[in-house]
Amino acid sequence: MIDFLAYHIQEAGRMALDAQAKLTAGDISFKGERDLVTSADKAVEKYLVDAIISSYPEHGIIGEESGSHGADASYCWIIDPIDGTTSYVHQQPYFSVSIGLRKDNTMIAGGVYAPALNQLFLAEKGGGATLNGAPITVSSCEKMIHAILATGFACLRKRSGADNLAVLAKLLPKISDIRRCGSAAIDLAYVAAGKYDGYWEHNLNLYDIAAGALLVTEAGGTVTDLRGNQDYPASGIIATNGAIHDILLQGVIV
Ligand code: IPD
Ligand code: CA
Ligand code: CA
């Protein structure tokens, strides 16, 4: 099924990229106070849902825009059709299609495709992770003062009460620098590829992180929740190269 995933994630990415250039005000709406959604998000998800139902009618689907269909099935596809819609709407390149495949309670395959960056990240459980077909591994950075980290502010957008600004203020003086690209899926893929040394965020959804978390673990990294357990994303998420995981865990506690 990785071939199915690889083919359709690229087709979906091409759809999103083509549509980005043609976006009009009529294509864009809000599904919350500031949560953007476009006609492309919905069209890309419909394309993927139709492809899955056609090839695997017995599989379940969890999609950001269309919700859950048979999510208790043994195989379940977890889809974020466009991760980084705010970047997408503002004609920036940092957006991605994220597709994860879960069998029973284990992620067995994942893909994150950033079409504007021409970066296709894929992983299979036990098979490693790749970027455009080449194997990838997490970084070897061991010192926080040399670390490039990424985060996001879902907690502020959702007014969840988690104070990531305080975490950032505490960490920033102790690291090399911070990045905030606007796509959690790309953030996770970049940890897997060693482009970032670590990433954390509060208040994400399963479809934001399902594929990216598998990329990180298959690339030799560590993924936990903000308490060091496996209850992510419900209890937040931290993904690192492993070497800095414990010190970042301590750092995100304010
Ligand atoms: C968003 C991105 C962003 C994260 C937001 C998510 P969306 O996904 O992943 O990086 O900080 O919380 O909602 O809404 O563009 O699919
Ligand atoms: Ca998302
Ligand atoms: Ca999305």
Side-chain angles (χ1 to χ4, degrees):
M1 284 181 250
I2 191 71
D3 293 340
F4 174 92
L5 189 157
Y7 173 79
H8 287 290
I9 200 169
Q10 293 179 84
E11 287 300 298
R14 272 189 278 276
M15 275 181 73
L17 191 59
D18 290 350
Q20 185 184 33
K22 302 166 190 164
L23 277 182
T24 65
D27 295 312
I28 302 165
S29 58
F30 286 91
K31 57 181 183 180
E33 181 190 21
R34 49 187 154 176
D35 248 354
L36 287 162
V37 62
T38 72
S39 53
D41 292 78
K42 296 169 185 172
V44 167
E45 184 161 314
K46 182 179 186 311
Y47 163 78
L48 291 169
V49 168
D50 290 349
I52 293 164
I53 290 173
S54 170
S55 296
Y56 305 107
E58 74 285 4
H59 287 191
I61 300 170
I62 296 172
E64 178 178 3
E65 308 307 340
S66 59
S68 294
H69 323 263
D72 55 355
S74 178
Y75 286 95
C76 185
W77 297 81
I78 303 165
I79 299 169
D80 191 336
I82 297 177
D83 184 63
T85 299
T86 299
S87 299
Y88 182 76
V89 165
H90 289 82
Q91 301 296 320
Q92 297 168 11
Y94 287 100
F95 64 92
S96 61
V97 181
S98 179
I99 303 173
L101 178 58
R102 183 179 69 193
K103 185 178 186 310
D104 303 326
N105 284 320
T106 301
M107 292 304 298
I108 60 169
V112 173
Y113 179 43
L117 304 171
N118 189 31
Q119 294 177 332
L120 173 61
F121 299 88
L122 293 170
E124 273 191 289
K125 180 82 174 160
T130 59
L131 166 55
N132 295 346
I136 54 175
T137 59
V138 294
S139 75
S140 56
C141 177
E142 297 182 343
K143 293 185 177 178
M144 283 291 272
I145 197 64
H146 298 153
I148 293 277
L149 302 181
T151 190
F153 298 95
C155 55
L156 302 184
R157 294 154 61 93
K158 295 172 182 171
R159 304 188 191 285
S160 72
D163 188 355
N164 201 28
L165 284 177
V167 174
L168 190 60
K170 176 182 166 189
L171 277 173
L172 204 46
K174 301 171 185 173
I175 65 174
S176 174
D177 208 344
I178 199 78
R179 294 290 183 268
R180 168 42 182 172
C181 84
S183 167
I186 292 177
D187 290 333
L188 289 162
Y190 275 23
V191 172
K195 297 173 185 288
Y196 295 159
D197 304 303
Y199 161 72
W200 82 94
E201 191 161 355
H202 309 72
N203 300 101
L204 292 173
N205 292 295
L206 178 62
Y207 42 73
D208 295 311
I209 61 93
L214 183 68
L215 288 172
V216 172
T217 54
E218 285 301 318
T222 302
V223 182
T224 68
D225 62 33
L226 295 172
R227 299 189 190 97
N229 301 318
Q230 291 298 301
D231 185 33
Y232 60 83
S235 301
I237 189 168
I238 296 184
T240 70
N241 64 3
I244 63 166
H245 204 85
D246 289 345
I247 197 164
L248 182 52
L249 258 178
Q250 292 159 27
V252 297
I253 297 168
V254 288

